Amino acid sequence: MSEEQKQADNRARATTEELRAFIREGWAPRRPTVTAPSPAATHAAARRAVLSAAYPKQRLVVPAGGLKVRSNDSDYVFRPHTAFAYLTGLGADREPDAVLVLEPLEQGGHESVLYFRPLGERDNDEFFSDSRYGEFWVGARPTLEDVELELGLTARHVEGLVDAVAKDAGHLTVRVVRDADHELTARLDAARVENGAAEESLAESDDALAHTISHARMVKDDYEIEQMRAAVAATHEGFDAMIAALPDAAAKGRGERWLEGTFGLTARHRGNGVGYDAICAAGDHANTLHWIKNTGDVREGELVLIDAGVEVDSLYTADITRTLPVDGTFTDAQREIYDAVYAAQEAGIAAVKPGNKFSDVHAAAIRVIAEHLHAWGLLPDGVSVEDTLDKEHGQYHRRWMVHGTSHHLGLDVHDCALATREEYMDGELKPGMVLTVEPGLYFKADDLLAPERFRGIGVRIEDDVLVTADGCENLSDAMPRAAGEVEAWMARVQGR
């Protein structure tokens, strides 16, 4: 349910009966807003069928979530909960307060029902006076008929949701994706208990449903892979724009913000927006792994690490990192570190293939990182590569690369987060999985154990990789990665 806005009456306008009557008059018939099923509809229906088979004779409730207040009477742009988007195919800014219900059928299977707030009539005040939902203010919502045509399911008004969900909770299991809408979950908990459900079992039962949906997203269908390709292509365009803007970023001050804004323009034009807050980290800021303040200057002679991804309208996102020399050419020390990271990434990508474990990707990349750190003499005296890779008594190399090499990618930038460790880290790679490969090396400016020539330099290279039947495909391979290729890319984009 949407968060309550604070409403003040200090800007209220007089609304007379005469005005109400006048506003209701003289409107042309509405034109249909939906004329054909969504391209995502059949794919979403197939996903619901898999979920239906996993929970026979149970009622499954997947809320979209509600509007969240940004400040006073202004909301954030709405983004539906990931499980809801996955199972309906609805994407950018679609249907706050909607709830998908998989209603069990006597003959088996489920009927998919979407409860939502449909388009209101023009004969009530909401039409012109409600700044949150009114058509005058935010545009026309779809009708029940629109949604049924678009998504291929049954549509009903959200007002009947709670009674329909909880009416027989003592006789059949009702599961809810709890974290999608906390206020609605609390109402449904109370209604379920009132109708005979055991209160102590609700959370555990619900969590199992959320886990099932999250784990199912690990292997992408053809539509999802197509969306990932689109997100990567848009992200490539955004990186081109940032490279073109680097001279201005260096000249204007607070250049990290200039780059962030440049990428954001592409993201909003080519998709729904950014898939996560972009990291535009110049100089020593690159050694703060989640540097999203982006308040720093961009200086010639330094590197800028940019970690950014476009989220397309279907809500699938890319996640790509490139580390760029601000003036277009790596120094010797920068290239030395960069080449080590590139070698580690090549090893990680080579490990992405069916039958390998997800953890094998990190193992391959981190071994190369450890070998370079050992060759540079940075590991403690007497510590070999094998010693530092020992998970019980080693791990010295993590001083300079503390994070993992990969994560699943899709509707969430860190996708499938509710999968178990056995399903995730120890899980077998399968065709259709999409994961990042992103090793790095980070030498903080005040790290006295690092060679002086390395201090203040941070490098990460990240690509989005699809597991195929016989290996993998780097979806972002069109974006140059090797040091010389990056320099040539920058020269080409900047017209040098």
Side-chain angles (χ1 to χ4, degrees), residues 8-19:
D9 61 2
N10 53 20
R11 294 165 57 214
R13 300 288 187 269
T15 301
T16 64
E17 289 301 325
E18 290 79 4
L19 172 61

Side-chain angles (χ1 to χ4, degrees), residues 48 71 155 173 241 283 286 413 439 490:
R48 294 196 299 272
S71 176
T173 300
V413 66
M490 295 181 67

Side-chain angles (χ1 to χ4, degrees), residues 62-63 80-88 100 177 180 210 213-214 217 411:
V62 186
H81 188 273
T82 296
F84 178 88
Y86 178 71
L87 293 169
T88 64
L100 173 68
V177 176
I213 299 170
S214 184
R217 299 204 315 270
L411 282 166

